[in-house]
Amino acid sequence: MEKVFKIFGFAGSLRKDSYNKAILRAAGELVPGEATLEIFDLEGIPLFNQDLEHQPVEKVKEFKAKIRAADAILIATPEYNYSIPGVLKNAIDCASRPHGDNAFAHKPVALMGASPGMMGTARAQYHLRQCFVFLSCFALNQPEIMVSFAHEKIDKEGKVTDQKTRELIRKLLESLVVWTRRLTAST
Ligand SMILES: Cc1cc2nc3c(=O)[nH]c(=O)nc-3n(C[C@H](O)[C@H](O)[C@H](O)COP(=O)(O)O)c2cc1C
């Protein structure tokens, strides 16, 4: 029997009606049969303080444990001031510490993002890819999903209604499963 891959996903937004939470929910609807997607809310992760990195709060312990238990990671990032939101960067920093206890190490990771603007989080995504280098993640290169004009593609109930976007998300998940299988086979 083929292995079922556990994908762990989170969005870099705390906003209730977040477009990035919406595309992550759509990913949950479009995940292929050989994978599952668990969605995690970053609400409650405190600001990182290096003085306290050896005594993480329960929410950070849970976040790190779920990253570790996952076969692959899926991140939906908003774009704030041409970069990733502090909420997302902070969560990543928390899970990457203390030194030698980086939960992201060697994880296959895919990313996507949604914005009402015309660039669809492109600039934020390339900043996030830069973080993956030091995190030692294996980032999936393609497809790239930069959902521009998100307010036209996601309805008031938070459902992704744009069929091209849904198709791209489906392809991203399929590619992430192939990528994860390939990496797992070689380790
Ligand atoms: C502090 C801040 C900075 C922003 N900077 C950008 C930006 O650089 N590029 C962009 O496309 N949208 C920018 N936006 C608009 C966000 O894309 C928009 O608020 C989006 O809905 C955030 O993602 P979410 O819906 O998942 O919360 C910014 C919003 C905020 C609050």
Side-chain angles (χ1 to χ4, degrees):
M1 215 172 80
E2 285 226 317
K3 178 177 162 62
V4 174
F5 291 103
K6 284 192 279 181
I7 304 173
F8 177 66
F10 53 94
S13 174
L14 303 181
R15 203 167 75 84
K16 184 168 59 68
D17 297 327
S18 159
Y19 295 126
N20 288 280
K21 286 182 180 174
I23 59 173
L24 204 53
R25 278 196 305 276
E29 295 159 12
L30 298 163
V31 74
E34 65 267 47
T36 58
L37 173 65
E38 179 184 354
I39 295 176
F40 186 83
D41 197 322
L42 299 184
E43 182 79 57
I45 293 190
L47 283 178
F48 178 75
N49 176 347
Q50 200 176 354
D51 289 338
L52 305 175
E53 67 178 348
H54 292 279
Q55 301 106 43
V57 300
E58 280 307 316
K59 181 83 184 190
V60 171
K61 279 190 203 163
E62 184 192 2
F63 185 47
K64 290 184 75 170
K66 284 181 183 289
I67 293 167
R68 284 222 159 85
D71 297 298
I73 309 295
L74 175 63
I75 303 177
T77 185
E79 180 170 284
Y80 276 11
N81 296 310
Y82 285 12
S83 186
I84 61 173
V87 162
L88 177 58
K89 181 63 164 58
N90 180 66
I92 289 172
D93 292 344
C94 288
S96 70
R97 296 294 299 186
H99 179 70
D101 193 24
N102 166 21
F104 288 103
H106 309 141
K107 291 287 172 189
V109 58
L111 72 163
M112 57 184 181
S115 158
M118 65 185 288
M119 297 292 282
T121 75
R123 294 157 295 216
Q125 289 194 34
Y126 289 117
H127 276 189
L128 185 52
R129 284 184 184 275
Q130 185 175 328
C131 296
F132 293 155
V133 177
F134 194 63
L135 290 169
S136 211
C137 288
F138 299 129
L140 180 73
N141 284 327
Q142 288 182 3
E144 294 184 296
I145 304 190
M146 292 148 180
V147 182
S148 55
F149 309 117
H151 53 293
E152 296 174 4
K153 296 169 181 166
I154 297 166
D155 71 14
K156 294 270 179 280
E157 278 69 51
K159 172 130 183 126
V160 178
T161 49
D162 182 67
Q163 288 311 313
K164 280 190 183 153
T165 303
R166 294 183 73 84
E167 184 58 17
L168 260 179
I169 294 172
R170 195 181 58 73
K171 282 196 180 128
L172 179 82
L173 290 160
E174 283 174 4
S175 302
L176 181 59
V177 168
V178 170
W179 183 227
T180 304
R181 188 174 292 125
R182 192 175 291 170
L183 289 165
T184 315
S186 64
T187 51

